[in-house]
Short mmCIF file of all heavy atoms in Angstrom, two decimals:
data_model
loop_
_atom_site.label_atom_id
_atom_site.label_comp_id
_atom_site.label_asym_id
_atom_site.label_seq_id
_atom_site.Cartn_x
_atom_site.Cartn_y
_atom_site.Cartn_z
N ALA A 497 -3.15 4.75 -14.46
CA ALA A 497 -2.38 5.48 -15.33
C ALA A 497 -2.70 7.01 -15.16
O ALA A 497 -3.75 7.43 -15.69
CB ALA A 497 -2.58 5.01 -16.78
N GLY A 498 -1.77 7.72 -14.69
CA GLY A 498 -2.08 9.15 -14.46
C GLY A 498 -1.52 10.09 -15.58
O GLY A 498 -0.90 9.61 -16.51
N VAL A 499 -1.82 11.37 -15.30
CA VAL A 499 -1.27 12.38 -16.25
C VAL A 499 -0.37 13.31 -15.48
O VAL A 499 -0.53 13.48 -14.31
CB VAL A 499 -2.52 13.17 -16.96
CG1 VAL A 499 -3.34 12.17 -17.80
CG2 VAL A 499 -3.35 13.82 -15.91
N PRO A 500 0.49 14.07 -16.15
CA PRO A 500 1.32 14.97 -15.48
C PRO A 500 0.60 15.94 -14.62
O PRO A 500 -0.44 16.61 -15.08
CB PRO A 500 2.07 15.74 -16.55
CG PRO A 500 2.07 14.74 -17.69
CD PRO A 500 0.81 13.94 -17.63
N GLY A 501 0.97 16.12 -13.33
CA GLY A 501 0.29 17.08 -12.45
C GLY A 501 -0.89 16.44 -11.62
O GLY A 501 -1.41 17.11 -10.78
N MET A 502 -1.25 15.15 -12.00
CA MET A 502 -2.42 14.63 -11.19
C MET A 502 -1.94 14.21 -9.87
O MET A 502 -0.78 13.54 -9.69
CB MET A 502 -2.86 13.46 -12.02
CG MET A 502 -4.05 12.69 -11.46
SD MET A 502 -4.61 11.38 -12.62
CE MET A 502 -5.66 10.38 -11.57
N LYS A 503 -2.65 14.52 -8.81
CA LYS A 503 -2.15 14.29 -7.48
C LYS A 503 -3.22 14.12 -6.50
O LYS A 503 -4.41 14.56 -6.74
CB LYS A 503 -1.21 15.39 -6.94
CG LYS A 503 -1.94 16.70 -6.79
CD LYS A 503 -0.99 17.80 -6.29
CE LYS A 503 -1.58 19.11 -6.15
NZ LYS A 503 -0.60 20.22 -5.57
N THR A 504 -2.88 13.33 -5.42
CA THR A 504 -3.87 13.27 -4.31
C THR A 504 -3.78 14.54 -3.50
O THR A 504 -2.81 15.05 -3.18
CB THR A 504 -3.38 12.07 -3.39
OG1 THR A 504 -3.50 10.97 -4.10
CG2 THR A 504 -4.27 12.03 -2.15
N VAL A 505 -5.03 15.04 -3.21
CA VAL A 505 -5.21 16.17 -2.32
C VAL A 505 -5.76 15.98 -0.95
O VAL A 505 -5.67 16.79 -0.10
CB VAL A 505 -6.06 17.22 -3.07
CG1 VAL A 505 -5.30 17.87 -4.32
CG2 VAL A 505 -7.43 16.72 -3.42
N PHE A 506 -6.44 14.76 -0.75
CA PHE A 506 -6.92 14.34 0.53
C PHE A 506 -7.05 12.88 0.52
O PHE A 506 -7.38 12.21 -0.43
CB PHE A 506 -8.32 15.02 0.75
CG PHE A 506 -8.95 14.65 2.06
CD1 PHE A 506 -8.46 15.23 3.20
CD2 PHE A 506 -9.91 13.72 2.13
CE1 PHE A 506 -9.10 14.86 4.37
CE2 PHE A 506 -10.53 13.28 3.29
CZ PHE A 506 -10.11 13.92 4.50
N GLN A 507 -6.68 12.28 1.79
CA GLN A 507 -6.89 10.91 2.06
C GLN A 507 -7.32 10.69 3.46
O GLN A 507 -6.87 11.51 4.36
CB GLN A 507 -5.59 10.16 1.79
CG GLN A 507 -5.35 9.74 0.34
CD GLN A 507 -3.95 9.01 0.22
OE1 GLN A 507 -3.12 9.04 1.02
NE2 GLN A 507 -3.81 8.28 -0.95
N SER A 508 -8.03 9.76 3.73
CA SER A 508 -8.31 9.31 5.14
C SER A 508 -8.76 7.87 5.19
O SER A 508 -9.56 7.40 4.27
CB SER A 508 -9.41 10.27 5.79
OG SER A 508 -9.65 9.73 7.08
N ASP A 509 -8.43 7.16 6.20
CA ASP A 509 -8.89 5.80 6.44
C ASP A 509 -10.31 5.74 7.00
O ASP A 509 -10.84 4.67 7.14
CB ASP A 509 -7.99 5.07 7.37
CG ASP A 509 -7.93 5.72 8.79
OD1 ASP A 509 -8.55 6.72 9.02
OD2 ASP A 509 -7.10 5.13 9.58
N GLY A 510 -10.83 7.02 7.20
CA GLY A 510 -12.21 7.03 7.62
C GLY A 510 -12.34 7.60 9.08
O GLY A 510 -13.30 8.03 9.45
N GLN A 511 -11.20 7.44 9.83
CA GLN A 511 -11.16 7.89 11.20
C GLN A 511 -11.05 9.51 11.22
O GLN A 511 -11.65 10.17 12.07
CB GLN A 511 -10.07 7.25 11.96
CG GLN A 511 -10.13 5.78 12.07
CD GLN A 511 -8.94 5.23 12.77
OE1 GLN A 511 -8.84 5.32 14.09
NE2 GLN A 511 -8.11 4.49 12.14
N GLY A 512 -10.17 10.04 10.34
CA GLY A 512 -10.04 11.45 10.22
C GLY A 512 -11.13 12.08 9.61
O GLY A 512 -11.78 13.19 10.18
N PHE A 513 -11.78 11.55 8.56
CA PHE A 513 -12.97 11.97 7.92
C PHE A 513 -13.54 10.88 7.10
O PHE A 513 -12.81 10.27 6.22
CB PHE A 513 -12.85 13.27 7.07
CG PHE A 513 -14.08 13.93 6.61
CD1 PHE A 513 -14.80 14.75 7.61
CD2 PHE A 513 -14.59 13.75 5.46
CE1 PHE A 513 -15.95 15.28 7.24
CE2 PHE A 513 -15.83 14.34 5.00
CZ PHE A 513 -16.53 15.13 5.97
N SER A 514 -14.84 10.57 7.19
CA SER A 514 -15.36 9.40 6.61
C SER A 514 -16.26 9.69 5.33
O SER A 514 -16.85 10.73 5.20
CB SER A 514 -16.22 8.67 7.62
OG SER A 514 -16.86 7.56 7.18
N SER A 515 -16.18 8.72 4.44
CA SER A 515 -17.07 8.65 3.23
C SER A 515 -17.14 9.98 2.50
O SER A 515 -18.18 10.44 2.08
CB SER A 515 -18.47 8.26 3.64
OG SER A 515 -19.07 9.21 4.50
N ALA A 516 -15.96 10.62 2.20
CA ALA A 516 -15.85 11.84 1.38
C ALA A 516 -16.57 11.72 0.12
O ALA A 516 -16.39 10.77 -0.68
CB ALA A 516 -14.50 12.42 1.27
N SER A 517 -17.39 12.67 -0.28
CA SER A 517 -18.16 12.63 -1.61
C SER A 517 -17.96 13.84 -2.43
O SER A 517 -18.14 13.69 -3.67
CB SER A 517 -19.53 12.59 -1.29
OG SER A 517 -20.12 13.52 -0.44
N THR A 518 -17.58 15.08 -1.92
CA THR A 518 -17.31 16.21 -2.66
C THR A 518 -16.12 16.98 -2.11
O THR A 518 -16.04 17.08 -0.86
CB THR A 518 -18.55 17.11 -2.71
OG1 THR A 518 -19.69 16.46 -3.17
CG2 THR A 518 -18.28 18.39 -3.63
N SER A 519 -15.32 17.52 -2.98
CA SER A 519 -14.27 18.45 -2.48
C SER A 519 -14.24 19.71 -3.31
O SER A 519 -14.61 19.74 -4.54
CB SER A 519 -12.88 17.76 -2.80
OG SER A 519 -12.64 16.66 -1.97
N LEU A 520 -13.97 20.92 -2.61
CA LEU A 520 -13.87 22.08 -3.33
C LEU A 520 -12.62 22.86 -2.86
O LEU A 520 -12.21 22.70 -1.72
CB LEU A 520 -15.08 23.07 -3.07
CG LEU A 520 -16.45 22.56 -3.51
CD1 LEU A 520 -17.12 21.90 -2.41
CD2 LEU A 520 -17.23 23.75 -4.07
N ARG A 521 -12.19 23.81 -3.67
CA ARG A 521 -10.99 24.63 -3.26
C ARG A 521 -11.23 26.10 -3.71
O ARG A 521 -11.61 26.26 -4.90
CB ARG A 521 -9.69 24.09 -3.88
CG ARG A 521 -8.40 24.79 -3.43
CD ARG A 521 -7.25 24.34 -4.07
NE ARG A 521 -7.19 24.70 -5.50
CZ ARG A 521 -6.57 23.98 -6.48
NH1 ARG A 521 -5.95 22.89 -6.08
NH2 ARG A 521 -6.51 24.41 -7.70
N ASP A 522 -11.04 26.87 -2.81
CA ASP A 522 -11.09 28.38 -3.11
C ASP A 522 -9.81 28.90 -3.50
O ASP A 522 -8.90 28.88 -2.65
CB ASP A 522 -11.70 29.15 -1.86
CG ASP A 522 -11.94 30.58 -2.16
OD1 ASP A 522 -11.45 31.17 -3.19
OD2 ASP A 522 -12.52 31.24 -1.32
N ASP A 523 -9.61 29.04 -4.78
CA ASP A 523 -8.29 29.46 -5.27
C ASP A 523 -7.80 30.75 -4.79
O ASP A 523 -6.59 31.15 -4.90
CB ASP A 523 -8.18 29.36 -6.84
CG ASP A 523 -8.22 27.94 -7.43
OD1 ASP A 523 -7.92 27.00 -6.58
OD2 ASP A 523 -8.53 27.80 -8.57
N ARG A 524 -8.69 31.62 -4.26
CA ARG A 524 -8.21 32.92 -3.72
C ARG A 524 -7.41 32.77 -2.46
O ARG A 524 -6.54 33.43 -2.23
CB ARG A 524 -9.47 33.74 -3.52
CG ARG A 524 -10.34 34.06 -4.70
CD ARG A 524 -11.60 34.73 -4.25
NE ARG A 524 -12.23 34.15 -3.18
CZ ARG A 524 -13.00 34.64 -2.27
NH1 ARG A 524 -13.27 35.91 -2.37
NH2 ARG A 524 -13.56 33.92 -1.30
N THR A 525 -7.94 31.85 -1.64
CA THR A 525 -7.36 31.72 -0.32
C THR A 525 -6.61 30.28 -0.06
O THR A 525 -5.94 30.13 0.83
CB THR A 525 -8.49 31.83 0.77
OG1 THR A 525 -9.40 30.74 0.63
CG2 THR A 525 -9.31 33.16 0.75
N GLY A 526 -6.98 29.37 -0.98
CA GLY A 526 -6.46 28.02 -0.82
C GLY A 526 -7.23 27.10 0.16
O GLY A 526 -6.87 25.99 0.26
N THR A 527 -8.28 27.72 0.74
CA THR A 527 -9.13 26.92 1.64
C THR A 527 -9.64 25.69 0.90
O THR A 527 -10.30 25.83 -0.19
CB THR A 527 -10.21 27.81 2.19
OG1 THR A 527 -9.60 28.95 2.84
CG2 THR A 527 -10.94 26.97 3.29
N PHE A 528 -9.68 24.61 1.53
CA PHE A 528 -10.11 23.35 0.92
C PHE A 528 -11.32 22.75 1.80
O PHE A 528 -11.27 22.70 2.93
CB PHE A 528 -8.98 22.32 0.96
CG PHE A 528 -9.19 20.96 0.28
CD1 PHE A 528 -9.28 20.92 -1.01
CD2 PHE A 528 -9.41 19.86 1.05
CE1 PHE A 528 -9.47 19.63 -1.70
CE2 PHE A 528 -9.52 18.68 0.52
CZ PHE A 528 -9.53 18.50 -0.84
N TYR A 529 -12.27 22.29 1.08
CA TYR A 529 -13.53 21.81 1.71
C TYR A 529 -13.79 20.43 1.29
O TYR A 529 -13.65 19.98 0.16
CB TYR A 529 -14.69 22.69 1.36
CG TYR A 529 -14.57 24.16 1.73
CD1 TYR A 529 -14.09 25.08 0.84
CD2 TYR A 529 -14.99 24.62 3.01
CE1 TYR A 529 -14.00 26.39 1.18
CE2 TYR A 529 -14.83 25.95 3.31
CZ TYR A 529 -14.36 26.84 2.33
OH TYR A 529 -14.21 28.18 2.76
N VAL A 530 -14.32 19.49 2.23
CA VAL A 530 -14.65 18.15 1.97
C VAL A 530 -16.00 17.84 2.68
O VAL A 530 -16.16 18.19 3.80
CB VAL A 530 -13.60 17.16 2.46
CG1 VAL A 530 -13.98 15.71 1.93
CG2 VAL A 530 -12.19 17.58 1.98
N THR A 531 -16.93 17.18 1.93
CA THR A 531 -18.16 16.71 2.53
C THR A 531 -18.14 15.19 2.55
O THR A 531 -17.41 14.61 1.78
CB THR A 531 -19.37 17.25 1.69
OG1 THR A 531 -19.38 16.54 0.44
CG2 THR A 531 -19.41 18.70 1.54
N GLY A 532 -19.02 14.69 3.44
CA GLY A 532 -19.03 13.23 3.59
C GLY A 532 -20.46 12.65 3.42
O GLY A 532 -21.38 13.14 4.10
#
Side-chain angles (χ1 to χ4, degrees):
V499 297
M502 183 172 165
K503 67 180 180 180
T504 293
V505 291
F506 178 76
Q507 280 180 340
S508 175
D509 62 1
Q511 297 181 72
F513 193 78
S514 180
S515 62
S517 53
T518 304
S519 297
L520 298 97
R521 185 183 69 209
D522 186 344
D523 284 346
R524 304 171 309 157
T525 63
T527 306
F528 183 74
Y529 302 91
V530 187
T531 67

